[in-house]
Amino acid sequence: MGALLRSEEMTLCQLFLQSEAAYTCVSELGELGLVQFRDLNPDVNAFQRKFVNEVRRCDEMERKLRFLEKEIKKDGIPMLDTGDNPDAPAPREMIDLEATFEKLENEMKEVNANSEALKRNFLELTELKHILRKTQTFFEEAEIHHTQAIHDPSLTDETMGLLGEEPYRSGQALKLGFVAGVILREKIPAFEKMLWRVCRGNVFLRQTEIVNPLEDPVTGDQVYKSVFIIFFQGDQLKSRVKKICEGFRATLYPCPETPAERREMAIGVMTRIEDLNTVLGQTQDHRHRVLVAAARNIKVWFIKVRKIKAIYYTLNQFNIDVTQKCLIAECWCPVEDLDRIQQALRRGTERSGSSVPSILNKMATKQTPPTYNRTNKFTEAFQAIVDAYGVSTYREINPAPFTIISFPFLFAVMFGDIGHGLIMAIFGIFLIIREKYFMAKKIEDEIFATFFGGRYIITLMGLFSIYTGFLYNDVFSKSLNIFGSSWFPIDPQTHKTYTNATLHGSYNLQLDPNTSFVGGGPYPFGLDPIWQMSTNKITATNSLKMKLSVIFGVTQMLFGVILSLFNHRHFKNNLNIICEFIPQVIFMCSIFGYLCILVFYKWTHFTVNDLGKDPNLLIGLINMFLMQRKKTDVPMYPGQYGFEKFLVFLAAICVPWMWLAKPLWLRHQHRFGQYRYRPVATQNGNLIDTDDEHEDVIYHDEFDTKHTDDNEEEEFDFGETFIHQSIHTIEYCLGCISHTASYLRLWALSLAHAQLSEVLWSMVMQIGLNFAFPVGVFLLVPLFAFWAGATVVVLVLMEGMSAFLHTLRLHWVEFQSKFYKGEGEKFQPFTFEDLSQYSVED
């Protein structure tokens, strides 16, 4: 139970590892995950450490693996993940891994280069094929226009020239030149405008689109292109046209002038395309085989490389003795696990073949150890809630065990509904049943990871909500009449029992406790279902829930104050017990504890016959402090007013008690030489345990001066102590009032949740239920779908998140502030379970 209530007892150890055994010993400690190493070279640059070359080699291997992983994902090949956790490879295996990765990378780069070259050739041939086909169409159209021109004398010589003909002018033949190529389709409008402006309209452009997209050999994207042919006259225009084509990154291809030559070239192009298709297929098959073989082992390779990198990264934190034969390390480790750590060191020494055993030296220190709370898959989420506020100070009470019960219970008080709790519980149980499947899938979605990590919290919150739902007798805003109601409503005007005819269509049914309750005792469990039909249901339940909220709050806060006693006793701080714990308990009990007693007294001593005569507790509490009473006021019990004055006097005495006693007593001790200020680390218990005996473990009784310089004894400062105690006293006294009022959120959110559920039912489902058959049947289907969706999204998710956050605040502020400091440093052991910190993305 001690390990559950407090963090593990930690000790600072010194390790002496032989150089040849250091790698395997650190590897074994990484598999164990119980040692947190300290960096003994904080002032040494990362590039100047001993094993920096090994770390760089690991970075290079990881880069090559990421390259292979990228290629595997590009081809859509599944990577086999068997969940295996291979041991860290021996240092000599790094050479084999490097050779393997180098070979695969070079092979993939060569295949990619060949594939890119083949695809580029294939693209060029494909574009040339389209050019030959489209230009042939252009020239055939020109022949048709030539035939028309012979019979149409209206065509001018210039027009015939642009059609590719050779008109005669001054007895000389005029011949036009042309270029053909391919350009991106989206560049055609700008390309055409540029040709027109630069060449002053002295060129003729024909273009047509290539229907099927072409693959870019570099990026692999699908691009759309168009074929164009440009007619011009003279070398000057030819030079301009080529420069424009070059500027728009258009690709020009040679195109024969005669149809026979074009046909012959087209046949050759088709033959080469078929050959390239065959070669490309063989290249892709080879690439696929290489990647499939790599995909089988890439996950394991990643783990091996990251383990090697983690080991060398850790070894860089060690010191090296003058002989260069021994590595010295310092680490925090749990005292309870020293035997397991020693066994891991022995295994590492045996694996390395070293004949010199590794030595574990337990050191004495004044430094505060890190906090280590053992968790399992059930308690891990609750511990995470506590650590989110602040990691517990070393060896102080851990709130997580109490949070396991109090957190889902307070949540359920605000979320009480059988139906909503059942939805939440089913979802949580589903995640628990399928947890092995989801853990194997390693889903990286952040939202799902949050829900999956809190699956046990969700399940408990759902189960507790079902329990409080039975207490409230509330299931989707309706009640269950399991045991039969004990109420028989009576008409206040006729003083007769309501009949079915009277109740039908009545919207103003109220329950008068003086006349209506005539059954055989209260409802066996929870709220009587007849209150569901009453218009004064909220009036009756609000009073009950408000009082219960105060009782729950005072009980939890008082429990937190009591837990502070265990901290004081564990740290042997008797002064805090006398000057803080005792006045805090008296202050809270004399005011709010007394208020809770009055609540129970009122419930047990006032019946329905005293309705209207029962005292108002809130007014009574105010009058208790004002000490003002009316002559007509009747005390609840004999001697009430005198006893309340005594309680107010006790509460008033506790304020200067908490405020002045501790600073004055510390000043008195300091003046007479009896005071010795102790840092937090030494207050938290003795870190030197010389009773345990471990083989190959050397114990030292002297402090290591290297680590005590920063924690020297501090001088006593009365002013600082007085101010600190003043703030603490004001915070506690005002906090008792504000924190008690803060617990009223239990009542407020419970009311809001119930009213939202009722409004959703009345405004959605009630509409469909009011219609008769068959209209009601057709309306109920869409209305039920909307109601079910709104119930899950609004009432379960959004309201559940709201109740969760309010419960979180009640635990962090109202409960934990009474005993929990949360100023510790979390224990972060060197472990292979999480290697993501050693992964560096490109």
Side-chain angles (χ1 to χ4, degrees), residues 338-534:
L338 285 176
D339 287 338
R340 297 176 60 190
I341 295 172
Q342 191 66 37
Q343 292 174 4
L345 292 175
R346 292 196 193 98
R347 290 195 301 269
T349 304
E350 292 172 359
R351 281 178 53 192
S352 66
S354 175
S355 58
V356 180
S358 302
I359 299 175
L360 180 65
N361 176 15
K362 192 174 179 184
M363 303 171 62
T365 180
K366 289 184 179 180
Q367 285 194 338
T368 304
T371 301
Y372 175 42
N373 293 300
R374 294 186 190 271
T375 58
N376 52 39
K377 62 182 181 180
F378 176 73
T379 61
E380 184 178 7
F382 294 97
Q383 188 65 56
I385 289 177
V386 174
D387 291 344
Y389 175 80
V391 179
S392 60
T393 306
Y394 177 66
R395 298 293 287 169
E396 76 171 335
I397 289 290
N398 181 20
F402 313 107
T403 305
I404 295 175
I405 299 300
S406 62
F407 193 93
F409 176 74
L410 292 183
F411 172 87
V413 171
M414 296 180 277
F415 195 75
D417 188 287
I418 300 174
H420 302 158
L422 188 63
I423 294 173
M424 188 173 291
I426 291 174
F427 178 68
I429 293 172
F430 169 76
L431 293 179
I432 293 174
I433 294 175
R434 301 279 290 174
E435 66 179 11
K436 292 184 178 179
Y437 169 78
F438 290 125
M439 291 175 69
K441 291 280 288 184
K442 297 180 179 179
I443 300 176
E444 297 181 357
D445 183 73
E446 186 176 355
I447 297 178
F448 177 80
T450 302
F451 282 107
F452 182 72
R455 58 193 179 278
Y456 290 99
I457 298 180
I458 294 174
T459 303
L460 285 181
M461 290 192 303
L463 295 177
F464 274 77
S465 297
I466 294 174
Y467 169 75
T468 54
F470 276 108
L471 287 178
Y472 299 157
N473 203 350
D474 198 354
V475 49
F476 298 124
S477 78
K478 297 302 174 185
S479 296
L480 300 175
N481 190 8
I482 300 176
F483 303 103
S485 176
S486 299
W487 291 80
F488 293 91
I490 296 177
D491 191 339
Q493 297 179 354
T494 63
H495 300 285
K496 294 182 180 180
T497 305
Y498 280 122
T499 62
N500 291 332
T502 309
L503 290 174
H504 184 69
S506 175
Y507 295 98
N508 296 312
L509 172 64
Q510 291 194 2
L511 299 180
D512 186 358
N514 290 314
T515 59
S516 300
F517 186 71
V518 295
Y523 199 69
F525 187 82
L527 192 67
D528 196 299
I530 194 64
W531 285 101
Q532 182 66 32
M533 303 173 59
S534 175

